[in-house]
Amino acid sequence: MNVLIKSFLVNLFLTILKLLGSVVSNSKTLLADSIHCMSDMSTDLISIIGTKISSKKPDLNHPYGHGKIEYLTSIIMSFFIISLGISILFNSFNGKTVVPNMYAIIVLLITIVVKYILSSYLFKKGKLLNSNIIKTNAIESRYDTYNSILALIFIIITIIGSDNDILKYFDKVGSVVMSLLTIKVGIEILLKNVSSILGEVETDNNKINSVKEIIKSNLYKIRRVTLIKYGHYYDAIIDLILKNNININEVYKLEQSIKKELKRSDMSIRYVTVNFKPKNK
């Protein structure tokens, strides 16, 4: 939660900075970039709400917790991004053509540095906490950094070519390009999280092999490991083939030992189901 609050405060600062900068510099591209940053701020708020709900304890109707709310929250975030991208696109064609001044360049240089630091921080925390919401925010923040770099290029071209009949329109062109990139990011986030909310398993072999390493034993052969995604945690289904005939009490102890080892690991495994198959059956 603290990670998302920090992200919100940074995006709030950048949004205000860009909005003021767009007024002072008369830059449509910077205005478009400020609207995009405003989308980051909005999605931070949605993320904070989603994280709070997803951390609720399991109940009778949701025995596997509320982790998938993260996917729903990210889908809502994607619609915000797409709608604001469309808004930027239409805004690009309105108003007079005005050549921006140097204030736009200063604002964007500050934005690029701050946004890159923020996105790197979110990537690190998202991986550490295995949080889909934080990872989504990190992706959006990194794309916002690239958008700001593009905006800077278009504004520089506009200022340098202010006396050219074509180059003087590059501020508007930059606004259009950034809006299309914003819409693209929103669609990518939407498709990714729709797949997850429908039911998705972990395909990273490194993570699956890490689970196998934790539970390996001479008593059985690991037939299959399935990690079902529930937001920032997993439901692990372990299929084993017993090498020797053992009684029911020993099977029970073995099952409890596997569950204990996986849950106390750093794999973010909250639920474990172990299926045993006798040898040669």
Side-chain angles (χ1 to χ4, degrees):
M1 185 69 75
N2 289 334
V3 174
L4 296 173
I5 292 173
K6 289 176 182 177
S7 177
F8 170 77
L9 292 174
V10 171
N11 283 317
L12 176 61
F13 164 73
L14 292 177
T15 299
I16 295 172
L17 179 66
K18 289 179 182 180
L19 283 172
L20 293 175
S22 67
V23 173
V24 174
S25 65
N26 296 313
S27 172
K28 247 184 202 310
T29 298
L30 187 55
L31 177 61
D33 204 27
S34 69
I35 293 174
H36 182 78
C37 194
M38 192 181 296
S39 75
D40 286 350
M41 188 177 66
S42 301
T43 53
D44 281 338
L45 283 174
I46 297 172
S47 298
I48 291 169
I49 296 171
T51 299
K52 190 171 183 62
I53 295 173
S54 68
S55 63
K56 288 175 60 178
K57 293 181 178 180
D59 53 41
L60 290 175
N61 294 323
H62 307 91
Y64 289 92
H66 301 78
K68 284 193 174 184
I69 194 68
E70 290 194 16
Y71 303 136
L72 180 59
T73 305
S74 295
I75 289 172
I76 295 173
M77 289 167 60
S78 71
F79 282 117
F80 266 93
I81 294 168
I82 293 169
S83 62
L84 285 166
I86 294 172
S87 174
I88 294 170
L89 183 61
F90 280 103
N91 182 70
S92 302
F93 298 100
N94 296 327
K96 297 180 180 179
T97 301
V98 181
V99 177
N101 56 47
M102 293 297 294
Y103 285 109
I105 294 177
I106 295 172
V107 169
L108 281 170
L109 286 173
I110 295 172
T111 297
I112 290 167
V113 173
V114 173
K115 203 68 177 181
Y116 185 84
I117 293 172
L118 175 64
S119 63
S120 299
Y121 170 75
L122 292 174
F123 272 120
K124 181 179 178 181
K125 289 295 184 180
K127 185 177 181 180
L128 180 66
L129 301 173
N130 195 28
S131 170
N132 192 63
I133 288 180
I134 296 177
K135 289 178 183 177
T136 301
N137 278 28
I139 293 170
E140 172 58 17
S141 292
R142 182 56 56 88
Y143 270 101
D144 196 31
T145 304
Y146 300 149
N147 282 349
S148 294
I149 293 173
L150 272 178
L152 179 63
I153 293 171
F154 280 113
I155 289 174
I156 290 174
I157 292 174
T158 306
I159 293 174
I160 294 174
S162 58
D163 296 327
N164 186 284
D165 291 337
I166 296 176
L167 297 182
K168 69 179 183 180
Y169 291 104
F170 262 59
D171 186 45
K172 282 191 173 184
V173 174
S175 181
V176 171
V177 171
M178 286 188 358
S179 66
L180 293 176
L181 288 174
T182 301
I183 294 169
K184 177 178 176 291
V185 171
I187 292 173
E188 288 174 348
I189 293 173
L190 174 63
L191 294 177
K192 180 180 183 298
N193 285 281
V194 165
S195 173
S196 296
I197 205 168
L198 289 175
E200 191 174 47
V201 298
E202 181 61 69
T203 57
D204 187 340
N205 286 327
N206 290 328
K207 291 185 178 181
I208 294 172
N209 289 333
S210 294
V211 172
K212 290 180 179 180
E213 189 65 25
I214 293 171
I215 64 174
K216 69 178 181 179
S217 171
N218 294 326
L219 297 174
Y220 51 75
K221 177 183 177 182
I222 302 173
R223 181 168 175 266
R224 182 171 51 236
V225 171
T226 304
L227 298 176
I228 302 174
K229 294 181 179 180
Y230 279 85
H232 60 279
Y233 58 86
Y234 296 107
D235 171 22
I237 300 177
I238 314 296
D239 295 317
L240 306 174
I241 299 176
L242 294 172
K243 292 183 177 181
N244 302 302
N245 292 325
I246 58 177
N247 61 47
I248 190 66
N249 289 328
E250 291 173 322
V251 168
Y252 175 76
K253 289 179 181 179
L254 195 56
E255 178 186 16
Q256 295 305 306
S257 175
I258 291 171
K259 288 182 177 181
K260 182 179 179 181
E261 290 297 321
L262 288 177
K263 288 181 179 180
R264 74 179 185 182
S265 71
D266 59 356
M267 295 292 298
S268 299
I269 296 174
R270 188 174 293 182
Y271 303 98
V272 181
T273 300
V274 184
N275 299 315
F276 290 99
K277 182 179 179 182
K279 185 179 178 180
N280 300 324
K281 291 289 184 177

